[in-house]
Amino acid sequence: MKILVINAGSSSMKYQLIDMTDESTLAKGNCERIGIDGHFKHTTSDGRSCEYDVQMNNHTEAFMQIKNALTDEKVGVIKELSEVSAIGHRIVQGGSIFKESCLVTDKVIEDIESLIPLAPLHNAAHVQGIRACIDVFGKEVPEVVVFDTAFHSTMPETAYMYAVPYEYYEKYAVRRYGFHGTSHRYVSARCAELMGKDIKDLKIITCHLGNGSSITAIDGGKVVDTSMGLTPLDGIMMGTRTGCLDPSVVTFIMEKSGLTPSEMDTLLNKKSGFLGISGISSDDRDVCAAAAEGNKRAQLAIDMLEYHILKYIGSYVAVLGGVDAIVFTAGIGENQSSHRENVCHKLGYIGVEIDDEVNAKAIRGVEGKISTENSKVDVFVIPTNEEIVIARDTMALVTK
Ligand code: ADP
């Protein structure tokens, strides 16, 4: 069975065609700048590729590019589109409606649309992606939706409620939802596999550290708390996002600088974090390079990031009442061994001990344990794979 995994954004659409017989990726690519000037990239697992500028006025036209590339004589991986058995879509916000993945129906599309106010850019784009997919593949190809928030739906009320007047929860569904759930779900399950234990018996803290970052406390396979909130802005400091802050900072800056809500939103989401503190870049590699050359603000950004990670791990150890394993994943988590080293060295008080040499080598897609045999807590680097989770859920639902 071949499954097409789609991650539709407002102006981009990433895809992967996965062969479920061995879970290998046959081809992947990205339609960028949809509705602007248009750029298309496609590569196959055996090294064939194409890349060109092409106008794509909407998501349906983007799907036509994908369809053409997948079945192309030179760079194609299938003969006919009918070889695609099902399509799985990543959806950012499932609200309180979707607690697990499900097959797409008219009602499901309506429900995803109803959640647009909670994730205006993302959910609106996902709905466009689903509709475009129906246009190109037809209704007979089953589609499945997999939600970033679903894995976090097990959080208890005490963790997801904010202490604002209760009516805002009732009226506007203001609460913590959490994001990156598919990634946290994949790496926590993989962690249990690597430990040779049932996830039901484990307390795990997963650190998804990328351009956007979140940390999650998982007890017996169920999320009990996560650092992102109503939106993906809360938690630890990120590439361009603030992470947690005293909410009064927002009203204070708005009043002092005369910013509108939308300008303030841009400041918090696009101008803060690594970029805002270092003044150099949102990219961890650039900031680390500048810090190595003695740039003090770049060093401050790094110290703040590591401090935030440490603080969340510490608080989640308290929430879980102990921890069996800590997992690092995503761009920074999988590649920046120095952050892992600095954080883990400060966790000696809970029995964490990592092997610095093993840690330094755990980069660029390496999966493995970086803690020593003596460590009371296992520490892993596990490259995330959200696409495989989407493909597995899709297969499970369409073969049910
Ligand atoms: P996104 O949240 O957009 O998916 P990623 O998970 O790709 O982001 O993470 C992006 C971050 O990971 C950047 O800050 C980048 O510096 C860092 N990163 C990615 N690859 C590497 C690498 N090979 N070495 C060091 N850092 C990396």
Side-chain angles (χ1 to χ4, degrees), residues 180 208-212 282-285 330-332 335-336 364:
H180 297 138
H208 177 110
L209 311 173
N211 202 20
S282 62
D283 193 298
D284 189 62
R285 285 166 288 197
I332 295 174
N335 291 296
Q336 283 293 8
R364 292 194 188 88

Side-chain angles (χ1 to χ4, degrees), residues 146-341:
V146 179
F147 299 88
D148 276 18
T149 46
F151 186 51
H152 300 301
S153 67
T154 51
M155 260 187 292
E157 242 178 343
T158 39
Y160 72 66
M161 286 302 290
Y162 294 123
V164 293
Y166 200 79
E167 67 196 78
Y168 293 99
Y169 170 64
E170 293 175 312
K171 260 200 228 161
Y172 306 123
V174 171
R175 50 159 282 186
R176 178 184 307 282
Y177 291 100
F179 298 90
H180 297 138
T182 312
S183 173
H184 290 290
R185 182 175 144 203
Y186 173 79
V187 297
S188 57
R190 185 76 191 124
C191 169
E193 252 173 56
L194 292 172
M195 291 173 81
K197 292 197 171 144
D198 189 335
I199 197 164
K200 290 205 173 72
D201 302 323
L202 293 172
K203 295 174 191 296
I204 305 175
I205 297 173
T206 47
C207 308
H208 177 110
L209 311 173
N211 202 20
S213 302
S214 65
I215 299 188
T216 297
I218 302 162
D219 196 353
K222 294 204 156 70
V223 171
V224 291
D225 205 351
T226 189
S227 62
M228 281 181 166
L230 173 73
T231 71
L233 183 58
D234 196 7
I236 65 168
M237 170 181 161
M238 305 173 220
T240 59
R241 293 175 235 166
T242 56
C244 60
L245 73 163
D246 177 351
S248 301
V249 170
V250 177
T251 42
F252 187 81
I253 293 179
M254 283 175 81
E255 276 171 20
K256 287 281 176 200
S257 307
L259 298 183
T260 63
S262 133
E263 286 166 340
M264 191 63 207
D265 190 67
T266 303
L267 185 149
L268 296 167
N269 278 289
K270 306 238 164 88
K271 298 184 179 172
S272 299
F274 258 39
L275 178 65
I277 293 294
S278 72
I280 289 171
S281 169
S282 62
D283 193 298
D284 189 62
R285 285 166 288 197
D286 300 338
V287 177
C288 287
E293 283 171 12
N295 185 301
K296 288 212 164 62
R297 273 173 53 186
Q299 187 58 52
L300 173 63
I302 292 168
D303 293 344
M304 285 173 70
L305 173 73
E306 292 173 357
Y307 181 68
H308 284 191
I309 299 169
L310 184 70
K311 218 158 75 157
Y312 266 99
I313 292 177
S315 67
Y316 286 168
V317 171
V319 164
L320 291 166
V323 62
D324 299 302
I326 297 171
V327 182
F328 290 95
T329 191
I332 295 174
E334 291 167 29
N335 291 296
Q336 283 293 8
S337 56
S338 60
H339 299 326
R340 297 190 303 243
E341 183 179 319

